[in-house]
Amino acid sequence: RSLIAMDDFSIAVNGFSKGETGQLLEAEKSGQIAINDLLSHINGKPVCGENGSGRERALSMFESVGEIRPLSLSFVKPYLSLHIFEKSTNTVADSPGGPKELVLGERKSSTGFNKVVLKGFDLTDGVAEIGGIFIGDHLVFMNGMPVGAGCLLMEGTPRPELKEVLNRLKDSTLYPMGLTFARPAKDTNRWNGASSIDIDTAETFCITANTPDQLGIEIGLGRDKDSIVVNNVFAVKGQYQEKLTSGESSYLGHAIESIDGQVVPSYTSASMVSQVIEKKWSDSGRVEILFCDDEGREWVRKLSKESSE
C-alpha cells in the first residue's frame, strides 16, 4: 500500500497487503522494505520528481505495466522523519527530560544555506534527583512492599535481601513503580544505618518511575546490613534521546527542517531553534520536529534528474 511522501517528491510505503489467509506476502516477508520507504524505480525507470511529478509518473507506469510480470520495484530509505514529542499524560509518572537534551549545531548546505543540525544529546536528571532524593536516603517501600528500614514499621514482615530489591528495581514488568525514601531527622547522623533512623520522625519522599532506566540511582547496604540506602544519584537518558535512539536509524547530523509545520529559515541559528522548541514545549507540552537527512535527499533528487533526461 502507498501514500504520498511528506514533500510530495515520491510515493511512500504505507503498509503491506496480506494473502487470502492473512499470510505475509513476498514484499513484507523479505524484510528489505519498511513503512515510509520511498518508491524510486519501476522496472528500472526513476519515478521521483518535484511537485508531485514523480507521483504522477509512478501512477501512470502502474496503470500501464502494473499487471505485467515480472514487475520490478526499487525503494530507498526516507530522508524526512517526523517526530512528535509530548509531555506524559500519565497521571502516575512523568518522563524525565525535554528539549534541553538536544545538542544542536550549524553547518552550511551544498547550496550555501545555513542548516541547524542535531549534534548529540545531553543527559538529564533522573526521577530520583527530580524528586529530591539524596545520597544516604533510606529506601523503605517499593510499590507498597516494605524493604530495609521500612520493615521496622511492620513487625513480622519478611525482610527482602538486597539482591531481591535490586532485581525488583530492574524488572520492567513492575513499572510504573512507586518508591518511598526516608531521611533521618536533621538532629541525627544519616550515615549510621537503619539503627539510627526513627521512621516516625524521618522525612519521607515518594517518587514514581515509568521504567527502570528513568530512576537514576544506585542502592546498597547501609552500615547496618538490614538497611538499604542510596549510594549514588546519576543523570539518565531523557525522553527526547530515548525516542530518537530507540530504532535502527540515527538522526545525528540530520537537519531540523521544520517545527510544528513551520519551515526553519536559513538565517536561523542553533540557539534560536532551541529557544523555539523549548517555548513550544513549555507552552503546550507538545512539539513536532521534522528531521531531514540532507545527503539522502540530495541522492534522491539526482534520481529525478535522471528521470527527466
Side-chain angles (χ1 to χ4, degrees), residues 197-217:
I197 187 171
D198 183 345
I199 297 294
D200 293 329
T201 62
E203 186 177 7
T204 58
F205 300 83
C206 297
I207 63 172
T208 305
N210 289 315
T211 67
D213 294 336
Q214 293 180 356
L215 281 173
I217 56 171

Side-chain angles (χ1 to χ4, degrees), residues 2-12 14 38 52 55:
S2 65
L3 80 166
I4 301 171
M6 281 185 279
D7 59 354
D8 199 15
F9 197 77
S10 60
I11 290 178
N14 185 39
L38 306 178
R55 166 173 47 85

Side-chain angles (χ1 to χ4, degrees), residues 9-164:
F9 197 77
S10 60
I11 290 178
V13 177
N14 185 39
F16 296 96
S17 300
K18 304 293 184 182
E20 294 182 357
T21 60
Q23 76 271 24
L24 300 183
L25 299 180
E26 290 304 316
E28 184 176 8
K29 190 186 300 182
S30 71
Q32 297 179 351
I33 305 171
I35 301 297
N36 295 324
D37 281 357
L38 306 178
L39 177 64
S40 62
H41 295 77
I42 299 178
N43 287 344
K45 296 182 179 180
V47 287
C48 300
E50 299 277 4
N51 302 317
S53 62
R55 166 173 47 85
E56 293 175 1
R57 188 178 302 111
L59 294 176
S60 176
M61 290 192 67
F62 274 129
E63 289 180 358
S64 61
V65 303
E67 299 297 326
I68 302 175
R69 296 295 183 271
L71 177 67
S72 172
L73 303 178
S74 299
F75 298 85
V76 296
K77 294 301 177 184
Y79 49 82
L80 292 174
S81 181
L82 180 65
H83 293 270
I84 301 174
F85 303 91
E86 293 182 284
K87 288 186 179 179
S88 174
T89 56
N90 186 343
T91 57
V92 177
D94 291 328
S95 297
K100 290 186 181 297
E101 298 172 50
L102 303 178
V103 179
L104 304 182
E106 301 171 23
R107 72 157 180 253
K108 293 292 183 182
S109 68
S110 59
T111 55
F113 292 114
N114 190 59
K115 288 281 190 175
V116 176
V117 300
L118 178 63
K119 292 181 62 179
F121 302 94
D122 282 332
L123 296 177
T124 188
D125 292 343
V127 172
E129 191 164 3
I130 294 172
I133 306 304
F134 293 164
I135 294 175
D137 287 348
H138 292 251
L139 177 61
V140 291
F141 287 97
M142 303 175 63
N143 281 347
M145 181 186 78
V147 298
C151 295
L152 297 174
L153 293 174
M154 305 180 71
E155 294 184 4
T157 301
R159 189 185 297 271
E161 296 183 357
L162 176 63
K163 183 178 180 180
E164 180 183 348

Side-chain angles (χ1 to χ4, degrees), residues 55 63 74 189 212 225 259 275 297 303:
R55 166 173 47 85
E63 289 180 358
S74 299
N189 187 339
K225 66 178 182 179
I259 302 170
Q275 291 172 11
R297 176 158 62 181
L303 296 180

